[in-house]
Amino acid sequence: MNTTRSGRPAVTRPDGTPLRVLVVDDDPDLAEVLTGALRYEGWEVRAAGDGASALSAARELLPDAVVLDVMLPDTDGFAVLRRLHEVKPDVCVLFLTARDAVEDRIAGITAGGDDYVTKPFSLEEVVARLRGLLRRAGMARQQEEGPRLTVGDLVMDEEAREVTRAGELIELSPTEFELLRFLMRNPRRVLSKAQILDRVWSYDFGGRAHVVELYISYLRKKVDAGREPMIHTVRGAGYVLKPVSR
């Protein structure tokens, strides 16, 4: 498996080239720290300190994602976002803001932003949000050892999006497939409902843990029906996928 220097699985563009990210913030120290953290992921990163230079850099870089401060010296981030969409309509935008009022969040999303983090924030959070945004937008893929995942007699072909158990084809919905993929990438590891919500549904479902329970039940009916169970509930902790003991 290809990994970053941070030890996480590498995330690249679908063609295997580095993701391109533009960091726009008028605080040079913060911009430098963010740029360093994103380069640590193996990505191609440029930085800009105001709206005008951000648009100039965007035309050259054609970024996959932009980390964009709301407050800039020559304009605001919302105006920059509108111009960015003229340069690259499908660019993912993560807003940085020192303000956490609900109206500011709504303004950012209404303007076409994909997500936001409120200062102060952790670098880990920014990286995680970007990785999630880019994957969901189809602009990134995670590098694995190969397109097939195997746990016991359960096999997933990620490229063909096919799952078999003991050679028998299992039909899954897109959400069921993503949930099973997360379980298969973490065999024998207990995954909490919060972890599953965050990975499979991102931030859309908040604390609605019953969604996880519902889809786990769907998976069990398809993966474990008439067979030794592989999907187990660990009471008070979450769920775990384990190969059947022989």
Side-chain angles (χ1 to χ4, degrees), residues 129-181:
R129 295 286 184 101
L130 281 175
R131 288 166 71 100
L133 284 178
L134 289 161
R135 278 198 301 262
R136 293 194 296 278
M139 294 182 183
R141 67 183 178 91
Q142 186 161 300
Q143 300 293 303
E144 303 295 331
E145 291 181 10
R148 297 169 73 88
L149 299 173
T150 303
V151 180
D153 61 355
L154 185 65
V155 179
M156 172 180 285
D157 186 322
E158 295 186 280
E159 289 187 355
R161 296 188 73 82
E162 290 183 349
V163 175
T164 60
R165 183 165 180 192
E168 182 179 340
L169 187 65
I170 300 172
E171 297 288 343
L172 299 176
S173 72
T175 302
E176 292 166 350
F177 186 90
E178 290 302 321
L179 174 56
L180 182 60
R181 174 154 57 182

Side-chain angles (χ1 to χ4, degrees), residues 136 175-176 178-184 186 189-206 208-217 219-220 231-234 237-241:
R136 293 194 296 278
T175 302
E176 292 166 350
E178 290 302 321
L179 174 56
L180 182 60
R181 174 154 57 182
F182 187 44
L183 292 171
M184 291 185 72
N186 296 274
R189 177 185 173 193
V190 178
L191 301 170
S192 69
K193 292 177 182 177
Q195 287 174 308
I196 295 171
L197 278 169
D198 181 57
R199 174 61 183 86
V200 179
W201 284 273
S202 303
Y203 300 90
D204 300 339
F205 283 80
R208 291 168 58 180
H210 69 277
V211 173
V212 177
E213 297 169 6
L214 181 63
Y215 273 87
I216 286 288
S217 71
L219 271 188
R220 280 180 166 141
I231 302 171
H232 303 272
T233 300
V234 179
Y239 303 96
V240 60
L241 179 77

